[in-house]
Amino acid sequence: QVQLVESGGGLVQTGDSLTLSCVASGRNFLDYAVAWFRQTPGKERELVATVNQSGENKYYEDFWKGRFTISRDNAKNSVYLQMNNLNPGDTALYYCAAGYYPGSSLPERYAYWGQGTQVTVSS
């Protein structure tokens, strides 16, 4: 079993930057690819980015590519999402998730999920 805990969310203004963290505990962190998803009320959970087990391969949805950056530090069992030039459309609950299939955009391909961290961007 793997437990995931997100942190780093908060209230920021348009144009600000923010870094989210996901810390894993339990089974070997190196076995899993990790993804960041986000969800707003009334909408389906959507993929932001994924990173494979080694951290060498990263995948982004086109909308966020170049503005958001995913990375991982296996020595710290952690994954990060650096978000730049935030706007109110980025307001959402952000989740990290772990699974065996790097690059997947389907939530059902990820077996383990954190509780989420809220990001709110004011105008």
Side-chain angles (χ1 to χ4, degrees):
Q1 189 176 22
V2 174
Q3 292 81 41
L4 303 172
V5 179
E6 303 96 335
S7 63
L11 176 62
V12 297
Q13 296 181 337
T14 296
D16 284 354
S17 296
L18 198 63
T19 299
L20 306 183
S21 298
C22 174
V23 179
S25 62
R27 298 170 69 170
N28 192 351
F29 181 64
L30 298 177
D31 290 340
Y32 302 98
V34 178
W36 285 97
F37 288 81
R38 71 183 189 182
Q39 188 170 24
T40 57
K43 296 183 179 180
E44 297 293 324
R45 192 166 298 184
E46 61 182 351
L47 178 71
V48 177
T50 69
V51 61
N52 75 335
Q53 290 86 341
S54 69
E56 295 179 355
N57 297 319
K58 303 173 183 179
Y59 306 88
Y60 301 89
E61 290 292 297
D62 289 343
F63 182 82
W64 296 283
K65 191 174 183 179
R67 190 163 63 93
F68 290 2
T69 302
I70 190 170
S71 62
R72 69 189 295 165
D73 185 343
N74 288 335
K76 297 181 178 180
N77 286 355
S78 298
V79 175
Y80 308 97
L81 183 68
Q82 175 67 47
M83 304 183 291
N84 298 319
N85 194 25
L86 290 165
N87 61 72
D90 297 319
T91 296
L93 186 64
Y94 286 74
Y95 297 91
C96 65
Y100 291 108
Y101 302 95
S104 177
S105 64
L106 302 176
E108 59 265 33
R109 302 297 296 271
Y110 297 88
Y112 306 102
W113 292 80
Q115 294 298 309
T117 185
Q118 178 68 38
V119 173
T120 301
V121 185
S122 63
S123 300

